[in-house]
Amino acid sequence: MTHKGIVVIDFGSQYTQLIARRIREMKVYSEIISPSVADKFNYSTVSGIILSGGPNSVYDKESPTISNRIFSLDIPILGICYGMQLIAIKNSGVVSHSQEREYGRSNLTILSRDVIFKAVKNKSIVWMSHSDKVKEIPKGYVKIAMSENSETAAMKHSQKQIYGFQFHPEVHHTQFGYTMLHNFVIFICRAKQDWTSKNFIERTVEEIKEQANGKIVISGISGGVDSTVASVLVKRAVGKHLKGFLIDTGLLRYNEGRETVECLKRTINMDVEYVDSAKLFLRRLKNVEDPEEKRRIIGKTFIEVFADKAKSFKNAEFLVQGTIYPDRIESQSQKGPSHVIKTHHNVGGLPKNMKFKLIEPLKELFKDEVRRIGIDLEIPSELILRHPFPGPGLGIRILGAVTEESVIMLQKADKIYLDVLKERHEYGNIWQAFAVLLPVKTVGVMGDQRTYDNVIALRAVTSVDGMTADWYGFSKETLQEISKRIINEVKGVNRVVYDISTKPPSTIEWE
Ligand code: XMP
């Protein structure tokens, strides 16, 4: 660690990255390390240590652990859930398997005021996720809070600055969670608050330079925020050694492929080769109606084109990927027992026979952090603030079989829709807005003539992470303008409808 900050020792919790993210929100540097390196780690510039939660039981033979070294360093420590149980058993306390599991919300009562509870009410809601609990606190420790099912919901060493929380302060649902973490990091650890996205950029550029070591790096840019920001970071590090290309599947938004290439050239002087593969994708999708089959074909074709293009760079050793932290959670859960609702091809990875080493500079960040870095990298806001776009693109927004005509029709309608939202300054309030072409025809009347034409459905949702979503409440005037313009300007459309379904039970995309 080259910076005064907080070390998070990761015992496998799904929330470890959230802890690091909260610390970054305080402008404090944080680094996540594995328990296997914790014993040998150089703590000389470390202001505080957080022991994360984890899925194991501290008594299991296979459970990750650490030696007692950190307790003698005189650095403040906060153990969360498994982390607190580890502090307990490492100092001769007792942890027991509890019959009363505690999942979700719980009421915390503070038993003893302490700096860590500064500005926290005596009673508040916390979020729990555990079945084991500390039965006997170690000698020299005191209980400082309890909950309904945990006699020791928080403990502290009476002389040293060592704390344990059974609950998770890092999650959004813990009422004063951020305040407690802030109290620990700022008032107890006295960590320096000088970590900014500019520092992140500098440090990451240095790391990439070292990793790439003068070798050729290739990058497939999609036009989305993540791949663009990742590539621009790599460009800063390796300059001309970065070879970027954009594969146009023909299923992108109206003219988006070419525009992205031109925009990167114009604004940050980045050369990205445009690879037009629209015909191939359309040919493969001919007469295919099933959404999952379409996804599979698009995903497979994309990988083929990508591999082919990559081969043309003879000396390339590295590949940039714009993976961000939530992608890793989603792709992990796809391997687990959870039900596959839709297969997201772009998190599935590339074929094993592609022997590139990966450069993934954003893999620990969340979307809003990536956007902030993009702004600091001076990437144009039209790229940074773009709504998320699914890998299979318009292929899953044209319900049923995809044809050249249907792509053109949808691209035009979608462009009008998004243009109106931008003109009316509503685009930025919406998580995702797009048009869908329905596989039905309806009767209309235009200039006394009967028409029998297509229906466009408009979708606009608000969301934080795409996992849950609500439909956006447009004014009548906005909907009127969008509908009028689409019906007047897009040949083949005589009806526009607005989707008022939440997720769940509906999904954001229609396929
Ligand atoms: P759903 O429709 O599952 O969408 O509610 C949630 C978010 O995921 C995007 N999405 C996809 N992204 N490949 C992707 O890369 C896909 O196959 C895919 N399907 C949905 C969707 O646009 C929304 O942001």
Side-chain angles (χ1 to χ4, degrees):
M1 198 179 221
T2 52
H3 209 85
K4 257 202 162 320
I6 305 289
V7 160
V8 182
I9 304 179
D10 178 19
F11 294 99
S13 164
Q14 53 174 327
Y15 301 133
T16 302
Q17 283 295 338
L18 213 45
I19 303 174
R21 187 223 154 96
R22 297 278 174 260
I23 299 170
R24 289 198 293 269
E25 283 173 19
M26 300 168 204
K27 295 197 167 58
V28 170
Y29 177 67
S30 75
E31 192 165 320
I32 296 175
I33 64 169
S34 124
S36 61
V37 303
D39 286 342
K40 296 203 181 82
F41 197 79
N42 175 5
Y43 291 93
S44 59
T45 61
V46 172
S47 309
I49 300 172
I50 295 184
L51 311 178
S52 84
N56 302 68
S57 172
V58 280
Y59 287 126
D60 287 350
K61 277 210 184 77
E62 305 293 308
S63 295
T65 188
I66 42 170
S67 74
N68 277 356
R69 179 180 165 225
I70 58 161
F71 300 110
S72 56
L73 291 173
D74 203 23
I75 298 173
I77 299 172
L78 169 64
I80 296 173
C81 196
Y82 181 91
M84 161 160 127
Q85 293 160 12
L86 208 55
I87 294 176
I89 63 157
K90 285 278 158 190
N91 294 284
S92 310
V94 178
V95 171
S96 68
H97 191 69
S98 162
Q99 292 308 317
E100 294 126 11
R101 300 187 311 174
E102 242 184 332
Y103 287 110
R105 59 190 279 138
S106 188
N107 293 303
L108 185 82
T109 305
I110 294 176
L111 300 173
S112 160
R113 298 301 309 184
D114 184 276
V115 189
I116 207 154
F117 295 135
K118 191 172 149 79
V120 178
K121 285 195 179 147
N122 276 340
K123 286 186 187 292
S124 66
I125 307 282
V126 294
W127 211 250
M128 296 275 193
S129 180
H130 68 113
S131 46
D132 287 5
K133 60 181 167 190
V134 174
K135 196 167 157 222
E136 281 173 35
I137 60 170
K139 219 164 139 233
Y141 283 74
V142 286
K143 290 176 195 174
I144 53 172
M146 58 176 281
S147 71
E148 293 114 311
N149 287 329
S150 299
E151 223 180 279
T152 310
M155 65 179 194
K156 116 165 248 230
H157 193 283
S158 48
Q159 265 113 45
K160 296 184 191 170
Q161 291 181 313
I162 303 178
Y163 291 83
F165 283 173
Q166 185 54 69
F167 56 91
H168 289 270
E170 68 276 25
V171 306
H172 183 69
H173 288 91
T174 292
Q175 220 178 350
F176 293 96
Y178 182 80
T179 310
M180 294 187 231
L181 272 181
H182 184 268
N183 291 340
F184 176 71
V185 171
I186 306 301
F187 300 126
I188 296 169
C189 303
R190 299 186 179 281
K192 256 172 116 179
Q193 284 176 284
D194 63 353
W195 186 251
T196 59
S197 62
K198 287 208 169 68
N199 296 131
F200 173 87
I201 293 170
E202 273 168 30
R203 182 169 155 261
T204 310
V205 165
E206 281 313 308
E207 281 172 5
I208 298 170
K209 253 187 215 163
E210 214 168 282
Q211 191 186 356
N213 196 18
K215 303 286 180 346
I216 299 288
V217 183
I218 60 167
S219 176
I221 292 173
S222 69
V225 185
D226 307 336
S227 65
T228 307
V229 173
S231 302
V232 173
L233 270 172
V234 175
K235 166 102 183 346
R236 280 222 178 163
V238 307
K240 287 211 156 53
H241 286 140
L242 175 69
K243 308 288 175 198
F245 55 93
L246 182 146
I247 297 169
D248 193 338
T249 58
L251 302 166
L252 300 178
R253 298 180 187 104
Y254 182 81
N255 213 15
E256 192 163 274
R258 287 194 191 276
E259 267 176 18
T260 303
V261 169
E262 277 163 26
C263 179
L264 288 171
K265 175 78 197 160
R266 189 179 67 243
T267 55
I268 48 175
N269 199 22
M270 181 162 167
D271 272 322
V272 176
E273 189 183 336
Y274 178 76
V275 183
D276 184 359
S277 307
K279 288 217 158 59
L280 175 67
F281 280 85
L282 268 183
R283 207 166 52 238
R284 298 246 174 115
L285 285 170
K286 196 168 173 194
N287 298 329
V288 181
E289 292 186 357
D290 178 68
E292 282 301 285
E293 180 66 3
K294 287 197 276 184
R295 271 197 175 76
R296 204 186 56 74
I297 292 171
I298 297 168
K300 194 167 159 278
T301 309
F302 187 87
I303 285 170
E304 260 177 57
V305 177
F306 191 100
D308 214 40
K309 188 71 223 162
K311 250 192 267 159
S312 69
F313 299 100
K314 290 280 178 293
N315 309 319
E317 271 194 30
F318 292 91
L319 171 71
V320 185
Q321 285 210 321
T323 324
I324 64 170
Y325 185 64
D327 293 339
R328 288 158 63 203
I329 311 181
E330 276 175 31
S331 50
Q332 271 164 20
S333 67
Q334 278 188 20
K335 286 187 205 130
S338 62
H339 201 82
V340 174
I341 311 290
K342 298 175 185 182
T343 45
H344 290 202
H345 85 251
N346 49 347
V347 293
L350 291 163
K352 294 208 170 51
N353 59 5
M354 282 181 62
K355 296 215 161 43
F356 292 108
K357 291 173 216 147
L358 292 183
I359 297 183
E360 297 178 293
L362 310 175
K363 68 173 191 289
E364 278 160 18
L365 303 187
F366 290 78
K367 194 93 179 176
D368 56 321
E369 295 181 300
V370 174
R371 288 203 163 110
R372 214 166 313 131
I373 284 157
I375 289 164
D376 281 347
L377 284 168
E378 292 170 8
I379 301 172
S381 56
E382 58 189 279
L383 291 184
I384 295 302
L385 302 178
R386 213 172 245 174
H387 290 170
F389 190 67
L394 302 187
I396 54 163
R397 291 178 179 173
I398 293 166
L399 308 196
V402 177
T403 63
E404 198 176 344
E405 297 71 45
S406 60
V407 172
I408 293 170
M409 202 183 299
L410 182 58
Q411 279 178 335
K412 283 187 180 159
D414 191 68
K415 176 161 171 39
I416 293 171
Y417 180 25
L418 299 186
D419 281 351
V420 173
L421 298 188
K422 285 174 193 162
E423 281 157 23
R424 290 180 162 260
H425 305 290
E426 301 217 49
Y427 185 83
N429 304 332
I430 297 166
W431 157 266
Q432 220 174 353
F434 54 89
V436 182
L437 181 63
L438 307 190
V440 285
K441 289 201 167 186
T442 69
V443 175
V445 53
M446 279 188 190
D448 294 337
Q449 296 282 331
R450 178 187 192 268
T451 59
Y452 188 53
D453 271 338
N454 296 284
V455 184
I456 286 285
L458 306 175
R459 184 84 162 129
V461 295
T462 54
S463 174
V464 179
D465 49 15
M467 303 301 285
T468 54
D470 197 0
W471 53 277
Y472 183 73
F474 283 121
S475 67
K476 185 177 175 191
E477 291 72 28
T478 305
L479 286 174
Q480 254 168 353
E481 188 182 343
I482 299 163
S483 158
K484 192 172 109 194
R485 282 197 51 194
I486 291 177
I487 293 173
N488 282 346
E489 296 172 35
V490 185
K491 204 160 163 269
V493 176
N494 68 354
R495 192 177 295 269
V496 172
V497 298
Y498 187 47
D499 178 353
I500 49 167
S501 334
T502 58
K503 173 183 181 175
S506 304
T507 51
I508 296 177
E509 304 287 346
W510 279 45
E511 283 196 334

